[in-house]
Structure formats: structure tokens, C-alpha cells
Amino acid sequence: MQISFNWLRDFIKTDLSASEVGEILTDLGLEVEGINQYQSIPGGLEGVVIGKIVTCENHPNADKLKITQVDIGEVEHVQIVCGAPNVAAGQTVPVATIGTTLYAENGESFTIKKSKIRGKLSQGMICAEDELGLGQSHEGIMVLENHHKAGKACKEVFEIVTDEIFEIGLTPNRSDAMSHFGVARDLRAALAQKEDTTTLITPSISSFHTNNYKGAIKIDICDTDAAPRYCGLRITGLEVKPSPEHIQHRLKAIGLKPINNIVDATNYVLHEMGQPLHAFDGAKINSGVVRVQKLKEGTPFITLDGVERKLSSEDLVICNGDTPMCLAGVFGGLNSGVTAQTTEIFLESAYFNPVSIRKTAKRHGLSTDASFRYERGIDIELVEYCLKRAAILIQEVAGGVVSSEIINEYPNKHKPHQILLKYDYINTLIGHEIPREKIKKIIQDLDIKIAHVTETSVGLEVPTYRADVRRPADIVEEVLRVYGYNNIPTGNKLNSSIPDLTKNNTNQIETRISQQLVAQGFYEIYNNSLTSPKHGSDTTNMVEILNPLSSELSVMRTNLIYGMLEVLQFNINRQQQDLRFFEFGNQYHKTAEGTKQKATLDMVVTGNQLQNNWVVSAHKSDFFFLKGIVNSLLNRLGINAKETPGDNPSFKESITLSVGKTILGTYGWIDLKNFKDIAIDQDVFACTLSIDALVQFITQKVEVARLSKFPSVHRDLALLVDKSTSFKELYQIAQKTERHLLEDIGLFDVFTGKGVPEGKKSYALNFTLRDKEKTLTDKLIDKTMQKIADQYHKQLGAELRK
């Protein structure tokens, strides 16, 4: 937010410098992020002087150029080549000398240099008014009155307005400080603690009066919850034209572009007092009724930017009868605003429900100065005052008369919020005792009314403009920021609570996991928990957001994988193909019992395991690379998990990890066809682990088991199976066929392509056999493997590859 120092001093007279005021505001919680200089004429006309054209002759090498000799107050005249059609000897002109920097209206700049133009030396530039920022004309050079002395600095001739602009990083809760008056109000409270008797100057509205009664426009509020207060009046006989320079300079200083005197006046009051206003062309309200209502879903409405928008049935709209004129508190309509032909206006000042305005602004993707303030909550008691202030200002800059009484629809008057504050609570919360009289003075300087006082507490009434002060803790914060955080002494004793760390503290476990994965080349990422409904296969179990920022962020994520794939895609599109990411986060699901969240650890791997170099060649990450990472992580946590084939539809091939009947998670080869809008042309392998399950089974115990004295035997089978056959089916058939000797089954290759018939794929399986009672014989091994192969052929039609 930009605050003008000159404007601020209209409300509070102070001899402090801008930097000193900036320090005070920062201590108050209105953090000044920077102080910028403003000049009404960019560059301040530095290096531009008065020149007298002594001679003016035609350029020998160009028909439209003139060679002039100009007196700029130096010993010798300077020669300047000029192309302006009106240049002539005897003129008094502004001259930009060599080294002067001139600024264009678009912010670009150029420096005047000694140069040759068509072979003739030019030692400066005779300027037009637009080149100096003194006007818009470029028809010729600027000719001044002859009484100015040659060599005089032009900054002494023309009035240049300078200002210092505070860049304030305003926090969302401080809606009371969204104006120059609001900042001045806080500054006054801080200065009062330094025994500065400076008073707060409020713009006078005593001159407001109704000139005639040509007939007020009727106001009809159909939804008093969305529009608790609405004021309006009619001004006739005005003239739309550019605003006076002092108003234009004020607006330009804080980054606003002047439009016309009516719009500028409403913007002026907005930034002066924090109250948004809107001026409608009075002649276009042909129904005679301004109706504040909600229209039916899908009603078309063209806003000021020329875009046709479909209204929601929840949008509050200002209507001419039943015809929409304005999205209340957000954006005006194309056909109801002030134009150069406007001679009468209906001026609106209102308080709209902050939640309603925020929903409308987000729904239509609009953000304006008005919606910014309405969303955060303005002062409902300032609505009528600002209407009068704006009416007076409009009459000053545009003429006209007030042709109606103020219509003030305020059916349910807001009452000040009451808080009981105990002195002991203040001292306990701050950790330092502030004198009671000091506390009461700060509270009163903040316009908080003291309703009653007892020996132990004080009853307070909070002004309506402090929507963020609702609890005793809020009052303590107000007292502390004005008293000064820097004034709270630091003791010699440091108090600390001993954390209650359980055996398996989740934060410690996550730290251990992070260290392990980072050591293996992973990067941790964080994604938004809000996502789009299209990122889930079943929308019925998604947790919907009541007030979504947009349709793309309208539900809570049901998995972390989709977001991680988007991160992979973003990086791959920027030529980063070898990637390993992990993320800790929550999944959210809607169930019959209500909404539930589940903490998970997710990993994704794609690209090469190692970069190609003279020692090793590039080797792509695969299923078994991720398997090794997962197993090493589980070993680090002391978890002995059982692996069984999975059937998760998000994976082409997957393994389910479990301990007993508890599922730890799944890892495998991602089936990218199941993820909409993901365009990745390389294999991706992922893992999802339940944090709660990991915490449940993590152990630091080292288990020792006697090694079997009988060796294990490994045998491989290469099978040709239907493309629809999964590893899970092969695993289960083998387990049922041989329960006694079969110790483990592994998958080490899946192949489709050259040499494999259409509709088929090749699986390469590794079988581990062991008899705990004796050494296996070749005969028994061959018999066992043949029995398994026969079952594969019988149940799946599998054939052995040779």
C-alpha cells in the first residue's frame, strides 16, 4: 500500500522527517518496506535551463532541420540542431544541456549527448512540453516569456511537486489502516506517548448542504445481510473535465492514473478515508429506483472492462430497477458509469458484507481498490460522512448542486464491541508490568472507549472501524504495539518448556526420513493441498471447499502423486529429465463417518540413476531402483515389511507393503494414462507410504536370527503370458503351488516389443527355494520348478521362453 507523506501531513502536523515517521509506523506494525521519491515532473528538470535563440538558419543538408545558436548563460553560445517547425530567432526556450536525462511518459529515459546531425554539431536539445513532462503537445518546441534570464534553471521557473511515498506492507487484519486517515490515526496514537500534543485533523463537512429538491432517487435494499448500510444522493448541473492539478498530483504520487474530476474525486476520498464510493450517471437511472439485490443465476452483465460476465445467484448487484449497473463493491458496469456527457450523478456510499464481496471478487477473478477494502471490512459508521465529503469535493472540482437529501438505509445499527480486560492478564501475557494509567492512556489514544473501571479490570468499547479487535488478547496487542515492543526489557532468565517427545515422535521420524532420502539424491517439495476436481478419479469422496479461490482450487487433494507429477512435468519441460522428489503431506477423503485426512510420504523417480561419464554409462531408473530405495528406507526405520503384488489402478505394476494386516503403502511403475493433463514421455516410478503406519511399526531394536545351515537355491523362469496378466497373479499361483520350499519370488524384467508376439509380454521371475531341514537336491528343485511352470501353463496359458 502506498501512502503519501504530503497527504499524511494534511491530517497530522509534524516536523519529523519521512524516515523518522517510517520508523514509528514500522514499530506500530505498519511495516514500511521502503520510501520512494515522487516528482510531478520526472527528473525534476535537472540540467534543463532557459535558453535564448540568437540565430536560426536552415540546415544545409536537411530541408526540415534548423541550426541555431543558443545563449544558455555561458561564455559561448551553443549550437543546437532543431527540427521543430516553430523554432525561430529571438525565442526564449527550455534547453536540455549535455548530460541531462529526460523521461518519457512510459517511464523510459534517454540522456542528451553531443552529436552530429546530418554532419552538423548539436550540443543539446530545445524541448517540447511533452519531452519535459509539462504537457501533452508535441507540435513544436515550448516557447516561454522573454523576461526569463538565460541560464536560469527551469526547475525554478516551473512548479515541481515533490513527495515521499511510504511502501507499507499492510497485514490483512489491519483494514482500519487502508487509508491516509487511518495511518495518521495510528501515528497520532504513537506520538501521543512521546508527549507530542499533535491533534488529528479530520476533513470538515460543515459546508455540506442540499441546494434543491428536484427529486431523490429511491433506494430499495432487498438483502440487508449483504448490504447492512447503503447511502446515496443526487448531484445535478456538474461538468465532467480533467481534475485540478493538486488532485492529479496526489493520485499520481500513490500510483493512480487520473481519469476525470468525478472519478478522481471518489478515488481521492477512497484513499483519503478508506471508504469506497461509486458515481453512476444519474440520467441513465431511468427507473428512478436503485435496487440492491441478487439476480438469477446466469444473468449476463457487461462490466467496465467490456467483458460480459455471467452473474451468480450469490452476487450482490446494484440495479437500475432490475437492470444490473454494478457488481456491488467490486466493479462497475460499462453502460452506467460517468462519461464526458454526464451532467448529473447518483453518488453511492455503502457498507457491504465482506464475505459476500470476497466471494464475488474471487468468482469473477476481479480485484479492485474497492473490493480490497470491502473484503477486509470498512467502518460502517463512516459511510455517511464520506458521502458528504465526496459530495463537497465533487462540487469543488465539477460544480453542480446537491439535489436531494441523503438517503440512508441503515436498518440494524451496529453497536461497538465490548471487551472486559483484566490488568493481571495484560501483565501475564506481556511478561512485563505496564503502569495502569499508561495502559488507559494508550487505549484512549486508540479511540477505544473506557466504559467502566474497577480495581482489577477495565470495560472497553471498541470502535466499529477495528474489526480485528475482538478478544482481550487483541487489546493487549494494541497496547503493546503502541507502548513499543522495544520498550519491553529482556530479563536475565530464559524460561523454556520441556517438550513431551513420545517414543516415535512424527517430526523426528520425518527428519530421519528426509535425511535418508536427501542422501540418496532426492529433493523435498511442497505442493498446495487445494486442487482441481479433475485430479481425482472419484469426485464423490472429495472434500469440497466452501469458498474456493477458483474452480482449479475447489477441492482438497485425495493423493499427492498428481501434484508431484505436475512438478515433474514442469521440470522436464525445462530440460531437467533426471529427477527425484519426495513430499510429506495430507490426503483428504469424504467418508460415511465424515471427512478424514491421512498423512503420507510420497516419492517419485524418473530419468537416469547416474549421469553419463567416463567411469559409468547412463542407466535409467527402473522399478528395482525404487525398490532398493524403499527397502533401504524401511531398514533405516527398523521395519520388516512383507511385499505382495498390488492392484492400484494408478500403477502398471505395483507392490503392496504390509506388516501383519496393516498396509504400509504401495510402490511401483506409474501408469501415466490414468492422469489427465500430464504429458510426460518417460517412465515414472512412485511410492506412497502411510506416516501413521510407519510410526506404528518403527523400531530401534536390532533383531538377530540364526542363519540357516542349509543353502538357498535360485532359479529363473522366463514366461510368455497374455498382456493382461499381472505379476500378482503369477505370485499367487506360485505361493499356492509350493508352500513349503518357496521362500521368495522376485520380478526382474518385463518386456514387450521385438520378438514378443502381439498381445503378449515377457516376464522374468526369480524364485528362491530353501528346505530348513536338509539340502535341496537337483531332482527336487527341478520337480518343484516344473510343478510351478505346469500351473502357470494350466491356469494362464503361459509358455516358457528359451
Side-chain angles (χ1 to χ4, degrees):
M1 183 181 70
Q2 295 186 325
I3 294 294
S4 158
F5 190 35
N6 289 348
W7 205 340
L8 198 62
R9 287 186 291 194
D10 284 353
F11 301 108
I12 190 162
K13 303 300 182 184
T14 178
D15 295 327
L16 296 174
S17 67
S19 59
E20 290 172 322
V21 170
E23 290 179 7
I24 295 172
L25 293 177
T26 298
D27 288 342
L28 284 168
L30 304 177
E31 184 179 359
V32 175
E33 298 173 340
I35 302 176
N36 303 317
Q37 302 297 317
Y38 168 78
Q39 294 176 317
S40 58
I41 301 174
L45 298 181
E46 290 291 337
V48 182
V49 300
I50 298 296
K52 303 279 187 177
I53 299 178
V54 179
T55 63
C56 180
E57 300 175 352
N58 292 329
H59 194 298
N61 301 323
D63 295 338
K64 294 184 179 181
L65 297 180
K66 301 288 179 66
I67 300 175
T68 64
Q69 296 294 324
V70 185
D71 178 7
I72 58 171
E74 297 182 354
V75 177
E76 297 182 355
H77 297 165
V78 295
Q79 179 172 294
I80 299 176
V81 177
C82 180
N86 64 330
V87 63
Q91 292 175 333
T92 299
V93 294
V95 177
T97 57
I98 293 172
T100 299
T101 299
L102 298 180
Y103 297 85
E105 188 175 359
N106 61 6
E108 295 181 357
S109 62
F110 64 96
T111 301
I112 304 299
K113 299 178 182 179
K114 182 187 293 186
S115 61
K116 283 190 176 182
I117 301 177
R118 292 292 182 93
K120 294 296 181 179
L121 182 66
S122 184
Q123 297 172 291
M125 177 177 171
I126 303 173
C127 301
E129 63 178 43
D130 67 326
E131 293 166 332
L132 297 176
L134 294 169
Q136 301 296 321
S137 175
H138 194 72
E139 295 179 356
I141 59 170
M142 191 175 188
V143 181
L144 307 176
E145 295 181 2
N146 287 327
H147 64 79
H148 296 296
K149 185 179 178 181
K152 184 178 182 179
C154 281
K155 64 182 179 182
E156 299 175 10
V157 176
F158 299 99
E159 181 182 359
I160 301 174
V161 177
T162 61
D163 199 352
E164 291 169 288
I165 309 301
F166 298 106
E167 288 282 352
I168 296 180
L170 194 66
T171 53
N173 63 307
R174 292 302 308 277
S175 59
D176 62 297
M178 294 188 295
S179 66
H180 287 78
F181 183 75
V183 173
R185 190 165 47 199
D186 248 25
L187 180 60
R188 185 274 314 267
L191 293 177
Q193 310 317 306
K194 304 177 186 296
E195 299 185 357
D196 189 323
T197 57
T198 301
T199 58
L200 185 66
I201 302 170
T202 305
S204 174
I205 57 171
S206 59
S207 63
F208 176 83
H209 65 279
T210 300
N211 300 89
N212 61 57
Y213 300 89
K214 288 190 175 179
I217 294 174
K218 183 181 177 183
I219 295 176
D220 181 16
I221 311 296
C222 299
D223 190 335
T224 55
D225 289 333
R229 188 175 189 184
Y230 193 92
C231 295
L233 58 78
R234 187 181 179 204
I235 302 177
T236 60
L238 49 76
E239 179 186 2
V240 178
K241 57 185 178 181
S243 296
E245 286 191 356
H246 72 278
I247 288 182
Q248 292 196 38
H249 289 322
R250 284 283 168 89
L251 297 178
K252 288 178 180 178
I254 58 173
L256 296 182
K257 181 180 179 180
I259 298 173
N260 60 53
N261 51 357
I262 307 299
V263 176
D264 292 349
T266 59
N267 283 334
Y268 190 95
V269 175
L270 166 67
H271 289 275
E272 177 186 60
M273 303 302 299
Q275 171 65 49
L277 301 111
H278 193 83
F280 298 92
D281 189 323
K284 295 178 181 178
I285 306 178
N286 49 30
S287 69
V289 178
V290 170
R291 184 166 289 122
V292 184
Q293 62 181 331
K294 294 176 180 177
L295 300 178
K296 66 180 181 179
E297 187 76 27
T299 300
F301 175 57
I302 302 177
T303 47
L304 198 57
D305 55 1
V307 176
E308 181 176 293
R309 304 176 190 275
K310 301 296 183 183
L311 299 180
S312 164
S313 59
E314 295 300 314
D315 292 334
L316 189 66
V317 186
I318 312 299
C319 298
N320 168 22
D322 290 322
T323 303
M325 296 192 296
C326 174
L327 273 172
V330 180
F331 209 31
L334 183 64
N335 301 315
S336 62
V338 173
T339 66
Q341 290 73 43
T342 298
T343 59
E344 64 173 275
I345 62 170
F346 174 75
L347 186 61
E348 166 198 278
S349 180
Y351 177 94
F352 298 118
N353 184 291
V355 175
S356 173
I357 298 302
R358 184 178 66 83
K359 286 183 177 180
T360 294
K362 297 300 181 184
R363 191 179 293 119
H364 295 285
L366 295 169
S367 180
T368 61
D369 283 338
S371 67
F372 177 80
R373 286 160 176 79
Y374 279 128
E375 288 174 17
R376 288 158 177 79
I378 61 170
D379 184 7
I380 196 169
E381 296 300 327
L382 210 57
V383 170
E384 184 177 2
Y385 169 90
C386 289
L387 182 65
K388 292 179 179 179
R389 168 68 176 145
I392 293 170
L393 188 58
I394 287 173
Q395 286 180 289
E396 290 177 2
V397 300
V401 295
V402 177
S403 300
S404 73
E405 292 284 2
I406 290 178
I407 305 167
N408 182 8
E409 294 291 335
Y410 191 13
N412 302 308
K413 189 172 177 63
H414 283 209
K415 295 179 180 180
H417 184 70
Q418 297 184 343
I419 297 176
L420 180 65
L421 181 66
K422 295 182 178 180
Y423 293 118
D424 288 345
Y425 176 75
I426 301 174
N427 299 332
T428 301
L429 196 58
I430 294 177
H432 171 71
E433 186 171 350
I434 302 175
R436 293 186 179 184
E437 291 304 314
K438 185 72 171 178
I439 291 173
K440 287 189 283 187
K441 183 178 188 314
I442 292 174
I443 287 173
Q444 290 173 321
D445 289 334
L446 288 167
D447 294 337
I448 299 173
K449 183 181 177 181
I450 297 178
H452 59 83
V453 179
T454 68
E455 185 63 28
T456 59
S457 63
V458 57
L460 306 173
E461 291 185 357
V462 181
T464 52
Y465 65 79
R466 289 310 304 269
D468 60 319
V469 179
R470 287 293 176 267
R471 305 168 301 162
D474 298 330
I475 296 290
V476 176
E477 182 183 359
E478 291 298 296
V479 170
L480 190 53
R481 71 183 183 85
V482 175
Y483 181 77
Y485 289 94
N486 296 331
N487 294 326
I488 303 298
T490 302
N492 297 322
K493 182 175 66 174
L494 180 64
N495 297 324
S496 178
S497 300
I498 299 174
D500 180 19
L501 297 179
T502 59
K503 176 183 176 183
N504 292 332
N505 179 267
T506 302
N507 290 334
Q508 291 180 330
I509 292 172
E510 289 184 1
T511 299
R512 197 185 311 167
I513 292 172
S514 298
Q515 292 171 343
Q516 169 91 3
L517 293 176
V518 168
Q520 293 178 309
F522 280 77
Y523 289 90
E524 184 172 8
I525 63 173
Y526 290 95
N527 279 311
N528 198 339
S529 294
L530 302 179
T531 188
S532 169
K534 65 185 180 182
H535 289 180
S537 57
D538 183 8
T539 57
T540 59
N541 72 341
M542 290 183 172
V543 179
E544 298 177 347
I545 304 300
L546 293 178
N547 304 313
L549 297 175
S550 69
S551 60
E552 295 299 311
L553 299 170
S554 60
V555 297
M556 304 295 285
R557 62 185 176 185
T558 56
N559 64 75
L560 276 63
I561 294 295
Y562 212 122
M564 299 185 82
L565 290 176
E566 289 182 321
V567 175
L568 286 181
Q569 180 174 267
F570 180 88
N571 282 271
I572 291 171
N573 289 342
R574 287 154 182 80
Q575 299 181 336
Q576 302 296 318
Q577 280 83 25
D578 305 330
L579 303 166
R580 301 173 198 174
F581 295 137
F582 72 96
E583 179 179 5
F584 293 102
N586 289 326
Q587 303 176 3
Y588 303 87
H589 299 273
K590 189 188 298 181
T591 66
E593 294 78 27
T595 56
K596 291 185 178 181
Q597 68 180 44
K598 177 184 177 183
T600 64
L601 162 67
D602 287 64
M603 296 174 268
V604 289
V605 173
T606 189
N608 292 326
Q609 297 180 29
L610 296 172
Q611 293 292 332
N612 189 23
N613 56 55
W614 65 277
V615 178
V616 295
S617 59
H619 182 66
K620 289 189 177 297
S621 300
D622 56 19
F623 184 95
F624 300 99
F625 176 64
L626 179 62
K627 175 184 172 72
I629 291 170
V630 173
N631 287 339
S632 66
L633 178 61
L634 294 177
N635 289 338
R636 171 81 180 268
L637 299 176
I639 299 175
N640 184 20
K642 180 182 179 181
E643 294 188 347
T644 55
D647 55 3
N648 191 317
S650 297
F651 295 88
K652 292 181 180 178
E653 298 290 345
S654 64
I655 293 293
T656 297
L657 299 166
S658 61
V659 177
K661 294 183 179 180
T662 303
I663 303 297
L664 294 181
T666 302
Y667 71 87
W669 181 11
I670 287 288
D671 189 352
L672 294 171
K673 294 179 181 178
N674 293 328
F675 294 88
K676 300 174 183 177
D677 301 331
I678 298 296
I680 297 177
D681 294 329
Q682 56 192 62
D683 289 339
V684 178
F685 304 90
C687 174
T688 299
L689 297 173
S690 167
I691 297 296
D692 291 338
L694 292 179
V695 171
Q696 181 181 350
F697 294 105
I698 191 170
T699 176
Q700 297 303 312
K701 295 180 181 179
V702 177
E703 296 184 358
V704 179
R706 183 185 297 274
L707 294 175
S708 174
K709 61 182 180 180
F710 301 105
S712 63
V713 176
H714 298 274
R715 289 290 186 269
D716 296 339
L717 285 182
L719 300 172
L720 196 63
V721 298
D722 290 339
K723 209 166 188 177
S724 60
T725 302
S726 67
F727 172 60
K728 180 178 181 179
E729 294 175 275
L730 297 169
Y731 182 93
Q732 290 173 342
I733 290 172
Q735 287 283 5
K736 291 178 181 178
T737 303
E738 179 53 62
R739 298 179 183 275
H740 177 63
L741 301 179
L742 187 58
E743 193 171 77
D744 192 22
I745 308 169
L747 172 67
F748 64 88
D749 187 41
V750 180
F751 177 72
T752 58
K754 187 176 180 181
V756 177
E758 185 71 25
K760 298 286 185 178
K761 62 181 174 182
S762 172
Y763 272 125
L765 307 178
N766 175 264
F767 297 84
T768 302
L769 305 172
R770 188 197 303 269
D771 191 328
K772 295 178 182 180
E773 305 296 331
K774 60 184 178 181
T775 301
L776 291 172
T777 63
D778 289 340
K779 183 177 180 181
L780 182 57
I781 294 169
D782 292 341
K783 181 180 178 182
T784 301
M785 294 305 300
Q786 186 61 48
K787 183 166 58 172
I788 293 172
D790 290 343
Q791 288 299 316
Y792 282 156
H793 180 73
K794 180 180 179 181
Q795 297 186 39
L796 301 176
E799 299 177 9
L800 292 177
R801 295 190 69 194
K802 297 181 180 180

